[in-house]
Amino acid sequence: MKRRDFVKYGLIIAGVGGICGFALKKNGSEYSFEKVPADKVLDNLGPCRAPFENLEIQPEGKIYPCCPEHIYNHPEGFGNIITTDFKDIWNGPALNEIRQKVLNNDYSFCNRKICNYYPSSYTKNFDASKHGPKSVFIGYDQECNYRCKTCRDEIITNSDEELNILDNVVLPKVLSLLKDTEYVMFSGGDPLASRHMRKLIKAACEKNVKAKLSVCTTGYFFDEQNMKKMSVKKLKTLAISVNATTRETYNKIMRMDVFDKITDNLKFASEWKKQGKLEEFYLNFVVHSMNYKEMIDFVKMAEKLDAVANFWEYQPWPNAVMHKHYKEFAVFEPYHKDYPKFKEILHNPIFKSKHCLLNPLLQNIADSP
């Protein structure tokens, strides 16, 4: 495995809500995975690159260098794109303080045990003032036509006032930011269901921004008609949250009776991959007691679609009542009554397929005796 491949996959699987991370082990020109405790990953590879290369725009316009759940004591973020010019945030004292701590190997602000941003070391050029972020995660708009059981109990729709701010204040700033960015991930609620995000994606495509575009979606609007409406001709990455292989389970988790439509849209995405319009195609699967018995069939489905089944364990979201019953759904925890059955499933050799990714917690279970 070449280093570029390692870094690509490391961004996805290293430390995602689990109890271990992965470090590089070099043998000549080749690199391989070596498991290490998550809080040792950064020490192994050098300073985390997130504060120097990454930017996340979260709800209410709050700016973070990485996932806000992984950073201690910064509930308001490191600036706000609604009220502040982006350059003043990127070069401001709050982010610069974090960068200096990282260079001093001080991660006291960071929950490194659950970090899902894979770090890589640098040999030079830690001056972020000379460039903007290489990677931007856009997750500030929570509008979505779903109310998935693991995520939220009510459909979230922007008010006219909120939409006005998003379209007239935030959109121009984000478009300007994307001019010099290499990679952008549209996420949040569902960017293809959001009225604002559809405008932003269309504008980004029509202005031919430098960044490679990626989308995380339920897949409901990923079809030929909607791609044409948004002027989307190709994507770097498409991640579709499916979480099931049967209509019954899909309806129970996603709370939408549209399984046939999603199945058609997955085939459409697979055709895009064949045509070279899509570099990477992931099917997301959040594991819990309602769907774990379908994990094997999910990998088989991914294989047929030339996609990658991306598994990680359920993590509580405060917007969903389900989080109050975590122990009931956490089938991956040893105390759960179905844990032995779950463990037996993960021992199936299909989970070693190139069409499958297990996050570290699940991989540890799969590798256990």
Side-chain angles (χ1 to χ4, degrees):
M1 179 177 288
K2 302 298 183 184
R3 178 181 170 86
R4 61 178 179 273
D5 298 320
F6 176 86
V7 171
K8 177 176 70 173
Y9 288 109
L11 281 167
I12 299 166
I13 67 176
V16 183
I19 57 175
C20 77
F22 291 86
L24 275 178
K25 186 176 183 180
K26 187 175 182 181
N27 181 17
S29 62
E30 292 290 316
Y31 292 83
S32 61
F33 292 112
E34 181 178 275
K35 286 185 180 180
V36 297
D39 57 353
K40 298 296 183 182
V41 174
L42 296 174
D43 295 335
N44 183 281
L45 293 180
C48 177
R49 63 181 176 158
F52 301 92
E53 294 189 2
N54 194 53
L55 185 79
E56 295 202 6
I57 311 176
Q58 293 288 347
E60 300 177 7
K62 297 176 183 178
I63 298 290
Y64 289 87
C66 59
C67 187
E69 286 79 8
H70 301 162
I71 300 177
Y72 298 126
N73 303 320
H74 284 84
E76 298 304 315
F78 295 80
N80 194 298
I81 199 167
I82 298 176
T83 59
T84 310
D85 183 78
F86 160 73
K87 291 183 179 179
D88 291 337
I89 300 173
W90 184 250
N91 298 314
L95 282 179
N96 281 335
E97 180 183 0
I98 291 296
R99 292 172 184 135
Q100 190 58 53
K101 286 185 176 181
V102 167
L103 293 176
N104 293 333
N105 201 33
D106 175 4
Y107 293 92
S108 58
F109 64 92
C110 181
N111 186 348
R112 298 166 72 187
K113 291 186 181 295
I114 64 169
C115 178
N116 68 346
Y117 191 90
Y118 191 81
S120 68
S121 60
Y122 286 87
T123 56
K124 59 182 179 179
N125 190 20
F126 287 98
D127 188 355
S129 66
K130 294 181 179 179
H131 60 80
K134 293 183 179 180
S135 175
V136 176
F137 176 90
I138 298 178
Y140 58 82
D141 187 354
Q142 295 298 296
E143 187 165 277
C144 182
N145 61 322
Y146 276 66
R147 54 184 191 96
C148 303
K149 196 163 187 176
T150 56
C151 180
R152 59 188 65 178
D153 292 315
E154 296 180 359
I155 291 176
I156 296 178
T157 304
N158 291 316
S159 67
D160 290 342
E161 181 180 358
E162 290 169 331
L163 204 57
N164 180 58
I165 294 174
L166 291 174
D167 289 348
N168 297 310
V169 178
V170 179
L171 189 148
K173 291 185 177 183
V174 174
L175 274 182
S176 177
L177 169 62
L178 297 186
K179 288 179 181 178
D180 300 313
T181 299
E182 295 180 8
Y183 172 84
V184 57
M185 168 62 81
F186 294 100
S187 186
D190 184 342
L192 302 186
S194 159
R195 292 165 292 173
H196 163 72
M197 293 297 284
R198 288 170 69 95
K199 289 180 182 178
L200 176 58
I201 294 171
K202 181 178 175 66
C205 290
E206 292 180 346
K207 289 182 179 295
N208 294 314
V209 297
K210 174 185 175 182
K212 289 188 175 182
L213 309 183
S214 297
V215 172
C216 183
T217 173
T218 63
Y220 183 90
F221 290 102
F222 191 80
D223 55 32
E224 185 173 8
Q225 180 180 8
N226 280 290
M227 292 305 98
K228 286 182 178 179
K229 285 182 178 179
M230 287 181 276
S231 301
V232 179
K233 296 180 179 178
K234 65 182 300 183
L235 292 170
K236 174 177 173 53
T237 304
L238 174 67
I240 297 181
S241 298
V242 185
N243 302 307
T245 58
T246 64
R247 183 190 309 275
E248 179 182 3
T249 303
Y250 184 89
N251 291 355
K252 186 184 297 183
I253 296 171
M254 310 297 278
R255 297 195 277 208
M256 287 277 281
D257 188 8
V258 292
F259 191 70
D260 290 340
K261 177 180 177 64
I262 296 302
T263 300
D264 289 341
N265 289 357
L266 292 177
K267 293 176 182 177
F268 173 70
S270 184
E271 282 300 314
W272 260 40
K273 181 93 182 315
K274 290 179 183 178
Q275 296 168 15
K277 298 179 181 179
L278 184 59
E279 293 183 32
E280 300 167 340
F281 182 22
Y282 295 94
L283 304 182
N284 289 343
F285 190 108
V286 179
V287 178
H288 44 72
S289 60
M290 290 187 289
N291 63 1
Y292 77 94
K293 293 179 181 179
E294 297 182 15
M295 291 178 69
I296 292 175
D297 286 339
F298 197 76
V299 179
K300 293 178 181 178
M301 181 172 73
E303 289 175 340
K304 290 179 180 178
L305 294 167
D306 192 21
V308 175
N310 189 21
F311 296 98
W312 68 91
E313 81 279 2
Y314 166 64
Q315 299 174 24
W317 285 73
N319 292 330
V321 172
M322 185 172 166
H323 84 279
K324 297 179 180 179
H325 307 282
Y326 174 80
K327 291 185 177 181
E328 176 186 341
F329 296 103
V331 68
F332 42 81
E333 298 283 7
Y335 58 71
H336 196 280
K337 64 181 179 64
D338 288 341
Y339 181 77
K341 295 179 182 178
F342 173 68
K343 185 176 180 180
E344 182 180 353
I345 287 174
L346 276 184
H347 283 168
N348 191 299
I350 198 170
F351 293 104
K352 296 179 181 179
S353 166
K354 68 178 182 179
H355 293 276
C356 175
L357 282 175
L358 298 174
N359 87 329
L361 176 63
L362 302 181
Q363 186 66 60
N364 278 351
I365 298 173
D367 291 344
S368 65

